[in-house]
Structures are given as structure tokens and as C-alpha cells.
Amino acid sequence: MTQLSTEPTAAARPQPAYLSNQALKDALYNELELHVDLAVQGVQVDPEDYAELHRLAGGKDLGPTTLSELRAPTLPSFTLPHGLSGDARQNDRSIYGLVVEDGQPVLYRYGKRTTRIAEVEFPQRPKSPLAGRFTSDGVPFSDIARVSSSTGLVHVSFSVECSLKDKGEECKFCNYDNRNSIIKTPRQVAEVFAAAIEAGVATSFHLTGGFVPERRELEYYTDVAEEIRAHTGLDDFVGSISMGAPADYTVFDKLKEAGYFFIGSNMEIWDRNIRKAIVPGKENVCGGWDNWVGALEYAAGVFGRAHISSNIVAGIETKKSVLDGVEYLASRGILGKAGIWRPTDGTDLEGHQTPEAAWHLDVAYKQRDIYRKYGYTLDEIHAHHSAGGLTGLLYRIEEEYFENGKLKRWRHPTLQLALNKTH
Ligand code: SF4
């Protein structure tokens, strides 16, 4: 829905004036509401604008042969004026719309009176120093890992297949089911991470993937760590993994010894009975609720406070249940992060609706209160790349984690410390 505009062109556009820290905080609290509402409602995009938005985001220019993508398109994430992201899915019924005006993406709110909210930006991605590089067995680095020079994170999904799918026991909100997906070898993963450290772009590493038959992913994690140590010379590295709870808790001792720094092990649902229905495979393969919680507590004993996280998909069970889970875990040194549930096409919950933005914001503020009650610091809640979530944003706003008149992105400082220790 391209709109006519009377706005000045980009060249004539005045530079924004900097706000005082208090005014920036106030603006960011408003922007947080928009950030959450966009996550809940999505954004509509006219097909005419879709290819242009992708081009502006630095992606490929979509031609007329991309109709299937136009039917189920993904939108590039954009940045709102004060630094929060607009991470919205395309939804033709959303009250928000993204249009192109004078070569700039602009966000609108539609209704009785249409409001032009703001110009937004697509983050500029400088050319990666790893672009065009290949592993020693000839695979492009970009097929192995996503390397973010802004956050310093090297993110590896070792596979997008989950063996719970074969048993018909996949999590009801998850569409992780590509067949014949290739598992990346520990050596490939280590080569990319080592090259990213050498190029000065990596500060942390995260490894994730689905369940592998017979829980072979547990062995794989230690094999990756071994290769990383061999390729980087680091004894411990800011590496994290997402994994299901093991039956034998001593796996955590081995992972710590292997050099990992942080473990994510997602409960997904806190209520015991709802959990059985929503994540049946995690219940059956990993020994049920008691074993999972026991594993988290054991892991916290091995890795230390704020080095274990467990996601709770907020919006499927009651608010009280989500917050009970967050509080129980926080009291034991575990970051129980309530993340916004966004129903995904192709899952058993396709077509369902997540609660409204105010519900999610209330959860975020209450989670912030719980974290403050147990004394978690800004560094602690960001120890893991994804552990911060909405509460992390609240912490950063409250603690004026600002840069150039905007909220600063989190960048993990610890790898540098590990490197300094080694050299
Ligand atoms: S364990 Fe559940 S959430 Fe994780 S990949 Fe498998 S189905 Fe998806």
C-alpha cells in the first residue's frame, strides 16, 4: 500500500536532535510497546513494496518469479528510531504497514485515522571479512554459521531436523522438520569460529539443533568443543549450547570440562500437565518435568549462577504459571526467560493467537521485578545471547545502556577476556 508523501527527501531530511537520557528513556518505553505490538500483530506489506524493502535491507532483489515467497514472505528485521528492533512477520490483517517512501522504509498504523509512525532503518551490514571464505573441505562459511559483527555472535544450527518429528512427538509450536538436512561437522564449525576470532568479529559462539536419534547430539557437542580448542588454542571459550535435559546429569560436567560457558535447556512450558500436551517428545525422551528441572538445577551447580537458561514460551499457559516458572528458576540461579509465543504456520498451533501486547509487557515487567529481587545484573542476564529478551531490554533502558542517542546493542565482552588470558 504505497502512500503519497509530503515528507522531505532523504537528502533534505534534517538530522535528529539528541534527547536527554530521561527523554530517551521515556521514548524507549513507548518504543518497547511498539516493539512488542509488532511482534504480536506483524506488519502488512503491499506486494509492490516487498521486493523494494528487501533490496533496501541489502537482500536480493526479488523478481516476478518469487510468488511463493510473496505468499509466505519473511520480512527483514528493521530498527525503530530509538534503537529497538521491529521484528515482525508479514500479516495482511495487521494494523501496521511498512511502505517505501522516497526510497525509505516507513512504518504506518492504520485505522480510522492513519498514523505515520516513523521512518525505520534496515541495519547496515558491512561486508563480512569472512565473505567468500570456505572450509578446508570446500563449504562456504555462510552455510555453516551466521556471523554477526554487531553482536559478535557466531551462531551455528548444526541441523534443522529434529528426531522428535519422526516419533510424532514434536513440540506443538515448532516447525523444525526439514528432511535430509546435513549435520555440520565439528571441524567445519571450529574452522569458521576460529576464522571469525582471527578476523576480530567473534566474541561468542552458540550451537543449536534438534534432537538426534539416540541423543547423539550430546556427543556431538563435546566433539565440537574439542575441535574449537584445537583450532583456537582456547581452553575455555564463550560457547553456549541449547540442549534437551539428559538422563545422566554428569553430561554437564563433561560439557563444562570441554570448555563451554553457558547451557540453554528450554522447558518451554512450566505447567506440568500442559507441558505433556504441548511438548510430548521433551516429556517422553527426557524423563518428564522432574528430570528436566533436576537437570537445570544440577547444571547450575556445575556452571554457576546465570550460566544456565531455560526458555518458557509465553502465551500458551497462564501468566501466573509462566511467572511461577521464572521465579522458581531465578531463585536457583537459572535464567527462566519468558519469550513471546508467535504461532507459526506449519505447526499444530497454526492459526492460534498469542495474547495481546499488554499481556506480554506485563510478563516482561514482572519478570524484571523477579530478576531484580534475586539480584541479577545486566551482565548476568545477557550472559547468553538470547537470555535477555524483553527483560534484557528493560534492564538496558533502566541502566541507560545508550550509544549515539539510541539503545546500544549487547555485545559480549567475555571472549576478549578469555583471549587476553590465553596470550
Ligand atoms: S525439541 Fe521441540 S522445539 Fe526443539 S527442535 Fe525438536 S520439536 Fe522443535
Side-chain angles (χ1 to χ4, degrees), residues 162 164 169-171 173-176 209-211 268 279 282:
C162 179
L164 297 185
E169 292 186 339
E170 72 274 18
C171 304
F173 49 77
C174 177
N175 63 356
Y176 227 59
F211 282 76
E268 317 288 12
V279 293
K282 286 195 166 191

Side-chain angles (χ1 to χ4, degrees), residues 65-84:
T65 55
T66 56
L67 274 180
S68 62
E69 282 192 71
L70 286 174
R71 279 190 205 107
T74 52
L75 281 176
S77 176
F78 49 87
T79 307
L80 297 167
H82 302 293
L84 295 190

Side-chain angles (χ1 to χ4, degrees), residues 19-29 82 402 405-407:
L19 300 173
S20 69
N21 275 11
Q22 186 53 52
L24 180 56
K25 269 182 169 171
D26 294 343
L28 278 164
Y29 286 123
H82 302 293
F402 302 154
K406 295 185 178 188
L407 191 70

Side-chain angles (χ1 to χ4, degrees), residues 123-371:
Q124 293 308 308
R125 293 191 176 83
K127 190 166 184 255
S128 164
L130 304 181
R133 303 261 313 258
F134 290 80
T135 59
S136 55
D137 59 352
V139 179
F141 277 10
S142 54
D143 283 6
I144 303 296
R146 235 177 35 233
V147 181
S148 164
S149 44
S150 59
T151 61
L153 177 69
V154 175
H155 187 283
V156 178
S157 287
F158 67 82
S159 135
V160 284
E161 188 166 0
C162 179
S163 65
L164 297 185
K165 186 88 183 171
D166 296 331
K167 299 167 179 258
E169 292 186 339
E170 72 274 18
C171 304
K172 301 299 180 201
F173 49 77
C174 177
N175 63 356
Y176 227 59
D177 71 343
N178 280 13
R179 297 288 162 220
N180 305 317
S181 61
I182 297 163
I183 292 191
K184 296 154 189 177
T185 69
R187 186 185 181 126
Q188 291 168 334
V189 172
E191 283 179 0
V192 178
F193 186 42
I197 292 175
E198 212 176 288
V201 287
T203 57
S204 62
F205 167 78
H206 183 66
L207 183 59
T208 184
F211 282 76
V212 177
E214 295 152 26
R215 302 296 317 272
R216 287 197 305 273
E217 75 276 10
L218 298 176
E219 226 170 89
Y220 175 81
Y221 296 140
T222 40
D223 292 347
V224 169
E226 211 169 281
E227 287 286 343
I228 285 179
R229 288 205 315 273
H231 280 79
T232 63
L234 293 170
D235 283 338
D236 47 15
F237 48 94
V238 185
S240 59
I241 46 183
S242 294
M243 58 179 282
D248 173 6
Y249 293 170
T250 61
V251 162
F252 294 115
D253 299 281
K254 291 182 191 131
L255 291 170
K256 171 88 172 133
E257 213 177 281
Y260 286 104
F261 167 86
F262 192 99
I263 303 289
S265 187
N266 298 331
M267 292 282 298
E268 317 288 12
I269 301 289
W270 186 252
D271 181 283
R272 285 172 183 269
N273 293 317
I274 298 175
R275 191 168 192 269
K276 286 180 191 149
I278 300 293
V279 293
K282 286 195 166 191
E283 274 287 300
N284 297 337
V285 173
C286 301
W289 191 100
D290 288 302
N291 187 60
W292 204 293
V293 173
L296 290 171
E297 292 183 24
Y298 183 92
V302 173
F303 282 82
R305 172 186 158 95
H307 281 249
I308 306 297
S309 76
S310 190
N311 195 44
I312 297 177
V313 183
I316 295 178
E317 59 194 308
T318 64
K319 193 189 289 179
K320 179 179 181 315
S321 178
V322 171
L323 292 168
D324 283 351
V326 170
E327 171 121 32
Y328 180 97
L329 295 172
S331 71
R332 287 156 175 81
I334 300 157
L335 300 165
K337 180 194 137 199
I340 299 175
W341 170 49
R342 296 194 282 185
T344 312
D345 287 356
T347 68
D348 283 358
L349 296 176
E350 176 178 341
H352 286 235
Q353 183 63 53
T354 195
E356 56 193 18
W359 188 98
H360 287 293
L361 276 165
D362 190 39
V363 169
Y365 278 96
K366 290 194 165 114
Q367 179 171 338
R368 182 272 320 265
D369 293 344
I370 291 169
Y371 280 5

